Amino acid sequence: MIQSMYVYSVVLLLTVTCCNIKEGIRNSDNNPVKIIFDTDMAGDVDDVGALAALHAMADLGEVEILGVMASATYPFTLLCVDRINTYFNRDFIPVGQLKGSGFNRGSSFYAQNIAEEFSGTLQSAGDAPDAVDQYRKILSQQPDNSVIFLTVGFLTNLRNLIISEPDMNSNLTGKELIKQKVRLWVCMGGHFPKGREANLRVDPEASEEAINNWPTEIIFCGWEPGKMNTGDSILYLPETSPVRRAYESFGRIPHKSWDQVATLYAVRGIDNGPFAHHWKLSGPGQIIVDKNDGSNTWKEDSHGTHRHLIQIGLDKEIAREINALMMYLPK
């Protein structure tokens, strides 16, 4: 009897989740948001929640995932990405690995568990193409001013893209290619008005160079808007879910939602999207990053191309939307 009630509860929860998630679908007249996702998936588990949410919104027709890149040298980061993409029936998505010098912040071991326990297409992160090569190839194939960069990790890949030279994919430099193809960069990073947040401080030199030389608008989803907990019901997902397994391995349920907030905003917040009412944008300005320690300060500037997200909605309302996306089951 107890087992039957448990199964009933799980089915009811997932049914309600599927009903709720449909409320966020963009108007069918709108084209899906074109996003490239860049992650350091391994140190913290909110990257997994963000990628799961992105796949859910892709199934709902709200977003087209153009590619997923690993900004960490940890060998299981991209393998974990690959397993999640495969679970959501998108093993065809281009992926790329940070090559050359980079940072390995270590892992809570969830990424290795996912890589070893679930199926995918990659045997080794070393088998994947260079992230910059993938960026250049993807951008060259997209319409002008159409791509949104969504970063929830280190900024090493973006710094490397900016300084990249013309190649077989495009005769433009990296900075020129970004200016032509990218409309917006949504960056999970920074404290506002000042502080020292992890994504900017791990590779501070790359953070400073990427932000200072980026040729389009940047919206920072800092540490402050993502402090609400999500994932309360994640263990109700089936055991075949790498999302469940990642949170289970990480060992802290529920957990903070920095990366999920940035993801939700990038898809459903921009362009007065259905959840835009949860936030407002700061006035224009510039984030100043210390290249030595990655600390940042905010400077107002009427001519600045940076803004940061300010939450005005309730934590529980934003958390409810994130939870619904994280509980989504692939078709």
Side-chain angles (χ1 to χ4, degrees):
M1 179 67 177
I2 293 176
Q3 184 178 13
S4 298
M5 288 299 295
Y6 174 80
V7 172
Y8 173 78
S9 298
V10 172
V11 171
L12 178 62
L13 173 66
L14 294 178
T15 301
V16 171
T17 297
C18 290
C19 291
N20 287 343
I21 198 172
K22 292 178 181 178
E23 296 176 2
I25 297 178
R26 282 174 168 262
N27 187 301
S28 59
D29 293 336
N30 292 337
N31 293 322
V33 179
K34 293 176 175 286
I35 282 182
I36 304 178
F37 186 74
D38 193 295
T39 174
D40 64 336
M41 190 177 290
D44 209 336
V45 78
D46 53 333
D47 299 68
V48 172
L51 184 55
L54 203 60
H55 277 290
M57 290 186 284
D59 271 1
L60 294 169
E62 300 177 67
V63 62
E64 179 184 357
I65 308 173
L66 300 177
V68 182
M69 310 301 162
S71 60
T73 59
Y74 183 64
F76 293 104
T77 292
L78 194 62
L79 293 181
C80 186
V81 165
D82 171 69
R83 302 329 186 230
I84 294 171
N85 288 349
T86 300
Y87 173 73
F88 282 99
N89 303 308
R90 289 190 178 83
D91 55 0
F92 56 85
I93 292 176
V95 296
Q97 173 63 45
L98 170 64
K99 303 283 186 174
S101 62
F103 287 80
N104 178 351
R105 193 169 59 180
S107 172
S108 59
F109 298 107
Y110 79 79
Q112 182 173 352
N113 289 343
I114 299 305
E116 295 177 345
E117 296 174 17
F118 291 83
S119 61
T121 61
L122 283 178
Q123 296 300 313
S124 167
D127 297 335
D130 185 291
V132 171
D133 291 341
Q134 289 286 64
Y135 272 136
R136 293 186 60 88
K137 181 178 181 179
I138 293 168
L139 289 176
S140 68
Q141 297 170 349
Q142 297 305 313
D144 291 352
N145 194 39
S146 66
V147 178
I148 291 177
F149 270 61
L150 172 58
T151 62
V152 295
F154 317 143
L155 306 186
T156 315
N157 279 333
L158 272 66
R159 186 273 311 277
N160 293 347
L161 172 61
I162 290 171
I163 62 176
S164 65
E165 297 294 331
D167 61 6
M168 61 182 296
N169 296 303
S170 173
N171 59 5
L172 300 177
T173 66
K175 190 170 184 178
E176 292 168 341
L177 188 59
I178 294 166
K179 186 174 182 179
Q180 182 179 93
K181 301 295 184 177
V182 178
R183 59 172 296 204
L184 179 67
W185 171 15
V186 177
C187 174
M188 191 283 114
H191 279 275
F192 297 90
K194 62 181 180 179
R196 189 166 177 258
E197 186 272 328
N199 285 343
L200 301 189
R201 67 176 169 82
V202 169
D203 189 350
E205 186 174 325
S207 297
E208 190 264 348
E209 292 176 3
I211 291 170
N212 283 352
N213 293 292
W214 191 261
T216 74
E217 183 181 10
I218 309 174
I219 294 177
F220 292 90
C221 298
W223 183 83
E224 293 78 16
K227 291 185 291 184
M228 77 284 293
N229 284 318
T230 55
D232 313 61
S233 303
I234 209 75
L235 294 183
Y236 283 109
L237 286 172
E239 293 183 356
T240 54
S241 167
V243 180
R244 168 184 169 159
R245 182 67 177 119
Y247 273 77
E248 187 177 46
S249 297
F250 189 68
R252 280 178 268 169
I253 303 172
H255 190 54
K256 302 301 181 183
S257 311
W258 300 287
D259 295 352
Q260 294 98 317
V261 167
T263 301
L264 189 64
Y265 173 76
V267 179
R268 295 181 175 176
I270 63 169
D271 301 331
N272 293 315
F275 297 156
H277 59 281
H278 290 312
W279 309 280
K280 67 177 182 180
L281 291 176
S282 71
Q286 183 180 7
I287 185 172
I288 310 297
V289 178
D290 187 319
K291 66 179 181 180
N292 296 308
D293 68 0
S295 61
N296 74 270
T297 56
W298 176 253
K299 177 183 177 183
E300 294 183 0
D301 180 353
S302 60
H303 300 291
T305 57
H306 303 165
R307 294 176 184 267
H308 64 87
L309 209 61
I310 300 170
Q311 181 179 322
I312 55 177
L314 298 176
D315 280 1
K316 64 179 182 180
E317 294 180 355
I318 299 172
R320 182 171 61 245
E321 306 299 343
I322 292 171
N323 280 323
L325 291 168
M326 289 171 59
M327 294 297 292
Y328 179 81
L329 295 177
K331 294 179 179 179

